[in-house]
Amino acid sequence: MTERHYLRNDQKHTWQSREHRRGLSCVRADTLPDRLQPEKLNVWIGSGFLVGSAFFALCSAFALFFAFANAFGLSEQQINVGFFFGSIFFTLAAYLQLFQAANTRTQPAASPPHAGIVAFGWRPQDIGWLGCFLQFLGTLLFNASTFMTLHPSGNWLRDELVIWGPDIFGSVLFLASGYLAFAETSHGYWSWHPAKLSWWVVATGLAGCVAFMISAIYAFVPQSGTVTMMVEHSIGWTLVGAVCFFLSAALVLIESRLFRVAPKSRQYRVPRC
């Protein structure tokens, strides 16, 4: 369930799963202490994805225009190190997102999901938790893929299994998580709400997942050897995906900020309790 309408004090209210989980509603995730409340986690989540996607975008640009990278004295190995560091920030942000989802009620009138704080939880029936879980798994695979690019063996089969394999499966998980996030916000299979900031957050994130998926497909290296055109397309789509994730992360920070200042500036509609 992503949306529910209910009565409280003879007034109609609307509960939405993403807004509640992100702390953008009047009902707080009260199983968390103040220092870990959703609106504070949002800043860390958005910042993590922002830094990680910035690493990916810069490294993709340097790899795509390698002559430009040479002007800065960057080698291919150093660029790959940048991709690996970027994937670490993705993983940290994805874990905080999963942690946030694991410690949030699934319905407005539901009891807290547990007595204390949990690290991961297990709520596959909850679309918000499931999307965060799949994305976290995808980031772990990206960690493995980018790390193994630092240690290529030259053996075609081995490199395809430990580099391209985690990349393609991680991209599939990202794509699934991106669509689940979009469906959760849309409250259906599809929606078009460009006037809503939350819609842009998930739409740009989904676009980034699609771009990463295309990049992973092009990243396959045939046994006959590297095809320059495929490499360029793979790097180019990685750049597109990184830019989309950068925009999505920036919008997360803006969304959280607008909600916090809303009572004074009225820039964002805050639900009445």
Side-chain angles (χ1 to χ4, degrees):
M1 183 181 66
T2 63
E3 184 177 51
R4 181 179 177 182
H5 303 279
Y6 64 99
L7 289 174
R8 177 187 292 170
N9 300 326
D10 296 326
Q11 292 185 344
K12 292 182 178 180
H13 297 272
T14 298
W15 178 92
Q16 295 177 329
S17 57
R18 179 184 181 274
E19 281 68 15
H20 171 62
R21 185 175 69 255
R22 292 285 188 171
L24 304 176
S25 67
C26 58
V27 183
R28 296 170 67 87
D30 53 7
T31 59
L32 294 173
D34 287 342
R35 68 181 184 280
L36 295 176
Q37 281 298 324
E39 59 271 20
K40 296 181 180 179
L41 287 175
N42 289 342
V43 176
W44 290 103
I45 293 169
S47 299
F49 281 123
L50 198 73
V51 174
S53 56
F55 265 103
F56 267 58
L58 287 173
C59 291
S60 298
F62 281 133
L64 198 59
F65 306 102
F66 197 66
F68 182 65
N70 284 335
F72 287 87
L74 295 176
S75 65
E76 182 178 350
Q77 181 76 352
Q78 289 172 321
I79 292 174
N80 288 336
V81 170
F83 277 118
F84 175 66
F85 273 110
S87 74
I88 295 298
F89 282 97
F90 266 102
T91 300
L92 292 174
Y95 171 70
L96 290 176
Q97 195 170 240
L98 176 61
F99 175 81
Q100 187 183 59
N103 291 279
T104 306
R105 299 180 185 184
T106 57
Q107 297 182 34
S111 300
H114 38 70
I117 298 174
V118 297
F120 294 95
W122 179 251
R123 296 158 61 178
Q125 76 284 353
D126 178 1
I127 188 174
W129 182 92
L130 183 60
C132 295
F133 179 68
L134 294 180
Q135 187 171 53
F136 176 64
L137 292 182
T139 63
L140 294 178
L141 289 173
F142 284 156
N143 293 159
S145 177
T146 54
F147 178 76
M148 294 310 298
T149 59
L150 305 177
H151 308 281
S153 67
N155 180 286
W156 174 79
L157 181 59
R158 181 264 187 190
D159 288 344
E160 290 304 290
L161 289 175
V162 301
I163 298 177
W164 184 75
D167 185 21
I168 192 73
F169 284 112
S171 297
V172 169
L173 291 174
F174 252 57
L175 186 59
S177 70
Y179 180 71
L180 288 175
F182 184 82
E184 181 186 26
T185 301
S186 301
H187 311 297
Y189 296 109
W190 181 256
S191 69
W192 177 254
H193 301 300
K196 294 177 61 177
L197 182 59
S198 59
W199 184 88
W200 281 106
V201 171
V202 295
T204 52
L206 177 59
C209 294
V210 171
F212 281 159
M213 185 75 250
I214 297 173
S215 171
I217 293 172
Y218 275 113
F220 177 78
V221 178
Q223 191 169 5
S224 57
T226 302
V227 179
T228 302
M229 179 273 293
M230 293 179 65
V231 173
E232 291 177 347
H233 277 75
S234 178
I235 297 172
W237 281 106
T238 299
L239 176 59
V240 172
V243 170
C244 288
F245 265 94
F246 185 90
L247 293 174
S248 180
L251 291 175
V252 166
L253 295 176
I254 293 172
E255 179 184 48
S256 181
R257 175 62 181 169
L258 289 180
F259 184 86
R260 291 200 304 272
V261 302
K264 295 181 179 180
S265 66
R266 300 184 182 276
Q267 294 176 1
Y268 195 88
R269 182 175 297 177
V270 181
R272 292 181 179 179
C273 299

